[in-house]
Amino acid sequence: MSLAADESANDVAGRRSTLRRIPRGIWALGFVSMLMDTSSEMIHALLPVYLVTVLGTSALTVGLIEGVAESTAAITKVFSGVLSDWLGRRKLLVAIGYGMAAFTKPVFPLAGTVGWVITARFVDRIGKGIRGAPRDALIADLAPSELRGASFGLRQSLDTAGAFIGPALAIGLMWLTADNIRWVFWAALPPAFAALALVLFVVHDRPAQAREKRVHAPLSRVELVRLPPLYWGVVSIAAVFTLARFSEAFLVLRAQELGLALALIPLVLVVLNVVYAFSSYPVGVLADRFDRGTLLALGVAVLAVSDMVLALVGGLGGLALGVVLWGLHMGMTQGLLATLVADAAPANLRGTAFGVFNLVSGLALLAASAVAGTLWDAFGSRATFLAGAGIATITVLALMPVVHRARRRKA
């Protein structure tokens, strides 16, 4: 057998060994995320069409519903993270968050008015906000330090798998039911309640968590100053980077602009999420072996290239390449950022740390999407993607001194 073949076999064996060493609770949280994302995306893929064609709302109303829902989730994450540090119990909040999401799912097919849909969407996003920071903090609690990158990467891969399984199931069920949206919404219930059952019966807090010193006022100045400069540096870099990573809705608009058939436009998000899902775990494994700052800089650089392709390369081939690169940059950065937050935050402040991180990132994404939309309306799609490429390049340059300092410390 050749040397190259030996090395390939060793790499495969190493990946299998890593997967076996990842704790059961993290696997469970990954499958919980996948099941709930499958359920949610089956509904969200069709909800705008349902609101406009069945309930007779305007596109403006759809936009307002989504904007308020996502902002609510971002704000709620701060308080749930703080509460998980104060209680010293993360599973409780994770279960409440997933429970709220599961029990709102029947409202969508039963809703006869826009008000019911708005209420269900609002409660669903509150549930997402409640579970988000405690879940990430729980993964950091459960993961061995040498497997932290792989653990976050695995959870992200499984979560993102749901993001393409859901729309794919929705497309198939729409064909089988002759475009009966309500039936598709009913079909979204089983995976949601399966996710809740996994949380209740398989996921547990780390046993030592209850014995650790609890934080009585996580958002107080005394406690916040315990979050080291490295943490605030990660938050700052993530905020600037997120300004370049506006909503994927603009990829859909670019596909429409380039003439992709309306029935095929959902494939944009399917392709993006397939690449995202299959790249997250391998990058997480690499993050446990190599410098994380360098990997993050490479991921942001991929976003800059993606934006340049989407701005300057015409045709569906350019669109496909840009979408694939966009999915790759997501896989290279999202789990890695969570790993860096876990590295930097004290164990009993991880919930607060993830809450603040998610809030800042969520507000930056909202601002980025608003600016992207303004540029699109005023100057066209090229200006939007070129601006994203410029901000991504600035982020890479800002990361270089951080990477250099990290290398000097290791030396």
Side-chain angles (χ1 to χ4, degrees):
M1 184 179 290
S2 68
L3 180 60
D6 285 338
E7 290 177 350
S8 177
N10 288 336
D11 287 343
V12 171
R15 285 195 294 270
R16 288 176 179 170
S17 174
T18 299
L19 286 171
R20 285 196 296 266
R21 289 164 58 207
I22 292 175
R24 179 189 180 201
I26 292 173
W27 277 98
L29 286 168
F31 282 111
V32 166
S33 293
M34 185 183 74
L35 288 165
M36 188 58 76
D37 228 36
T38 297
S39 173
S40 295
E41 292 303 325
M42 288 175 69
I43 292 173
H44 298 163
L46 297 170
L47 190 59
V49 177
Y50 181 71
L51 285 166
V52 173
T53 61
V54 178
L55 298 182
T57 64
S58 66
L60 175 61
T61 301
V62 174
L64 289 174
I65 290 172
E66 291 303 306
V68 171
E70 293 304 325
S71 299
T72 300
I75 293 169
T76 308
K77 285 177 182 178
V78 176
F79 298 103
S80 64
V82 169
L83 189 58
S84 76
D85 288 336
W86 182 70
L87 291 173
R89 298 176 63 191
R90 309 211 195 273
K91 174 186 170 174
L92 174 64
L93 293 167
V94 173
I96 290 172
Y98 279 109
M100 291 175 70
F103 281 100
T104 58
K105 293 294 187 285
V107 176
F108 291 100
L110 292 172
T113 64
V114 177
W116 277 104
V117 174
I118 292 174
T119 301
R121 188 80 173 101
F122 185 73
V123 174
D124 175 75
R125 292 299 87 179
I126 290 178
K128 179 180 180 180
I130 288 174
R131 68 183 183 253
R135 181 201 61 213
D136 289 343
L138 180 56
I139 291 172
D141 292 341
L142 295 173
S145 59
E146 71 277 9
L147 294 176
R148 191 170 286 156
S151 298
F152 277 105
L154 175 67
R155 206 286 309 176
Q156 192 67 64
S157 284
L158 291 170
D159 176 81
T160 311
F164 67 79
I165 293 171
L169 284 174
I171 292 169
L173 289 169
M174 285 287 281
W175 178 74
L176 287 172
T177 62
D179 295 339
N180 190 320
I181 295 179
R182 289 184 190 272
W183 275 110
V184 179
F185 286 176
W186 281 117
L189 267 64
F193 283 95
L196 178 59
L198 271 179
V199 171
L200 293 175
F201 299 112
V202 181
V203 175
H204 302 286
D205 283 312
R206 183 165 58 89
Q209 185 74 25
R211 297 193 298 270
E212 289 178 353
K213 181 182 178 183
R214 296 183 187 177
V215 181
H216 296 294
L219 280 180
S220 67
R221 183 179 177 183
V222 173
E223 298 297 344
L224 288 178
V225 296
R226 291 178 54 221
L227 292 171
L230 176 61
Y231 167 77
W232 295 110
V234 171
V235 171
S236 301
I237 290 292
V240 177
F241 160 55
T242 304
L243 291 175
R245 191 185 67 80
F246 37 77
S247 169
E248 286 82 15
F250 292 96
L251 302 181
V252 173
L253 292 176
R254 181 62 171 153
Q256 184 180 33
E257 182 180 63
L258 290 171
L260 186 65
L262 189 62
L264 297 178
I265 282 180
L267 287 176
V268 169
L269 297 183
V270 172
V271 170
L272 183 152
N273 284 306
V274 167
V275 178
Y276 185 3
F278 281 96
S279 58
S280 292
Y281 174 70
V283 171
V285 173
L286 288 175
D288 291 327
R289 301 177 182 177
F290 301 103
D291 179 68
R292 290 170 181 169
T294 301
L295 288 173
L296 182 61
L298 287 172
V300 180
V302 171
L303 173 60
V305 175
S306 172
D307 279 329
M308 293 293 287
V309 169
L310 290 164
L312 302 175
V313 180
L316 296 180
L319 173 68
L321 178 58
V323 169
V324 167
L325 289 172
W326 191 286
L328 180 60
H329 109 264
M330 294 286 285
M332 293 179 72
T333 58
Q334 299 308 292
L336 186 52
L337 284 168
T339 304
L340 290 168
V341 171
D343 287 343
N348 61 354
L349 275 180
R350 281 176 179 152
T352 303
F354 276 108
V356 172
F357 171 79
N358 287 321
L359 174 64
V360 172
S361 298
L363 294 177
L365 182 59
L366 187 62
S369 297
V371 171
T374 301
L375 288 171
W376 191 294
D377 289 339
F379 305 106
S381 60
R382 178 171 292 185
T384 296
F385 289 111
L386 287 176
I391 298 173
T393 302
I394 291 170
T395 306
V396 173
L397 295 174
L399 275 166
M400 288 300 97
V402 177
V403 172
H404 180 66
R405 284 197 297 271
R407 286 176 176 170
R408 289 186 64 183
R409 281 199 298 269
K410 286 185 178 181

